[in-house]
Amino acid sequence: METIRWNIKNDETDNNRAIDEAAELIKQGQAVAFPTETVYGLGADATNEAAVAKIFKAKGRPQDNPLIAHVATVDQLKRLVDNLPDYTEKLFKAFSPGPLTYVLPSNGMCAKNVTADLSTIGVRIPDHPVALALLQKADVPVAAPSANLSGKPSPTIADHVWDDLHGKISGLLDGGPTGVGLESTVIDCTQDIPIILRPGGITKEQLEEVVGPVMIDPGLANAKEKPKSPGMKYKHYSPEVPLWIVEGAPATIQKVVDRERKKGNRVGVLANNYTAKHIKAEEKIVLGENIHEIATHLYDALRKFKQGDVDLIICEVFPEVGIGQAVMNRLRKAATEYIDE
Ligand code: TXA
Ligand code: MG
């Protein structure tokens, strides 16, 4: 299959030929990748089972992992779900469009492979001009997981999507780098108190400011409990070479790096500006100064370390405040070891 690639500027989405063509392909039941404010998504008409099946096939995604339905407005969102608890109105006002996915009882409007036969559906309104223009033009709910091969880091630039999926999908709208860099927060809104199923772009602190106490799925922190969100049980975001998380000051990290180098291992280091300055290694990728920059650059960095260049990646620990929770959640899922000596 030939993959059409369109370049599009975020401020030129009105009457745009690329948007028209991409929307037309979606209406015809094809799969098309597009930028959102979090990561690139691979979209297909959520009401068309055969179209949705193309997403699973292109990504090699397990059938039991449900997809998020993307819509342009709160009214469209309400057409896919039943039984909205009162607090959802507050959440819509505060965070939609934005990186928050609501899990709500499905009313059966979407194809059953979108929800992987669950009674609930994840829905969100992305905050990105290209995504919103595409959704408006396609005029159907668009099922879209992250546009990476299953198990790889999510794509934050169009080249990541191209590397993973060209030849397997009908189109790719290249709108430049995404902003947040990590996926949306997934929140279960079927209970009296909302439950975070996947930490992401909207933090627990932000949610609590709007709706009061919010719970975190115990399955996220405790290996013995099964996560409520099917996707969270899979190993994810894997770089080509093993990733170790090392807790401690730069001197502690350097000790582990040196020990591995003595064994003949070439070591790549992932760190913030400060730590990177204080460490010697074969390769270093500086993620940035603050936790937002770190989130934005994390997936690109994980893809940059290649087999043959390094044998091992060592990453420092970041404070789990704000979006730091999502950063550490993704790092733990990508890592093969957690070292705290
Ligand atoms: O930021 C994002 O959310 C990106 C962009 C493209 O919108 N999408 C994304 O989709 O990350 P995906 O498929 O990679 O992750 C969706 C997560 C999975 O962990 C899935 O299990 C969970 O949401 N999910 C979807 N529907 C669910 C449901 N009904 N109940 C519980 N978890 C659900
Ligand atoms: Mg994903």
Side-chain angles (χ1 to χ4, degrees), residues 59 61 145-148 152 154 183 198 236-237:
K59 280 181 60 92
R61 182 177 174 107
S146 48
N148 51 284
K152 293 241 279 174
S154 296
E183 300 85 344
R198 175 178 76 177
H236 261 39
Y237 320 112

Side-chain angles (χ1 to χ4, degrees), residues 38 41 61 65-66 68 70 103 120 124 145-146 183-184 198 229-231:
T38 57
R61 182 177 174 107
N65 192 4
I68 296 169
H70 294 65
V103 170
T120 54
R124 93 170 184 102
S146 48
E183 300 85 344
S184 63
R198 175 178 76 177
S229 174

Side-chain angles (χ1 to χ4, degrees), residues 240-241 264-268 281-283 285 303-313:
E240 278 186 24
V241 285
N265 285 327
R266 286 157 306 168
V267 180
E282 268 75 21
E283 264 196 55
I285 295 187
R303 280 175 182 259
K304 275 208 176 105
F305 286 115
K306 300 282 183 206
Q307 234 159 16
D309 296 343
V310 294
D311 303 302
L312 175 66
I313 307 168

Side-chain angles (χ1 to χ4, degrees), residues 49-66:
E49 191 173 340
V52 172
K54 291 178 184 167
I55 294 177
F56 283 93
K57 183 157 181 246
K59 280 181 60 92
R61 182 177 174 107
Q63 295 291 334
D64 66 348
N65 192 4

Side-chain angles (χ1 to χ4, degrees), residues 198-262:
R198 175 178 76 177
I202 300 290
T203 64
K204 180 170 188 276
E205 295 86 337
Q206 283 175 294
L207 292 166
E208 290 191 325
E209 247 176 63
V210 173
V211 288
V214 167
M215 286 173 29
I216 295 185
D217 177 10
L220 284 183
N222 180 346
K224 279 185 214 121
E225 291 222 27
K226 202 172 144 220
K228 285 192 175 57
S229 174
M232 299 309 280
K233 70 173 183 274
Y234 293 107
K235 203 179 144 45
H236 261 39
Y237 320 112
S238 305
E240 278 186 24
V241 285
L243 168 74
W244 293 4
I245 302 173
V246 178
E247 197 172 317
T252 310
I253 298 172
Q254 187 71 59
K255 246 202 290 185
V256 181
V257 171
D258 290 344
R259 200 169 62 210
E260 290 308 310
R261 289 170 87 191
K262 265 195 207 125

Side-chain angles (χ1 to χ4, degrees), residues 71-80 92 125:
V71 291
T73 66
V74 172
D75 280 345
Q76 289 171 346
L77 188 157
K78 287 180 178 168
R79 275 179 232 151
L80 308 181
F92 295 154
I125 306 175

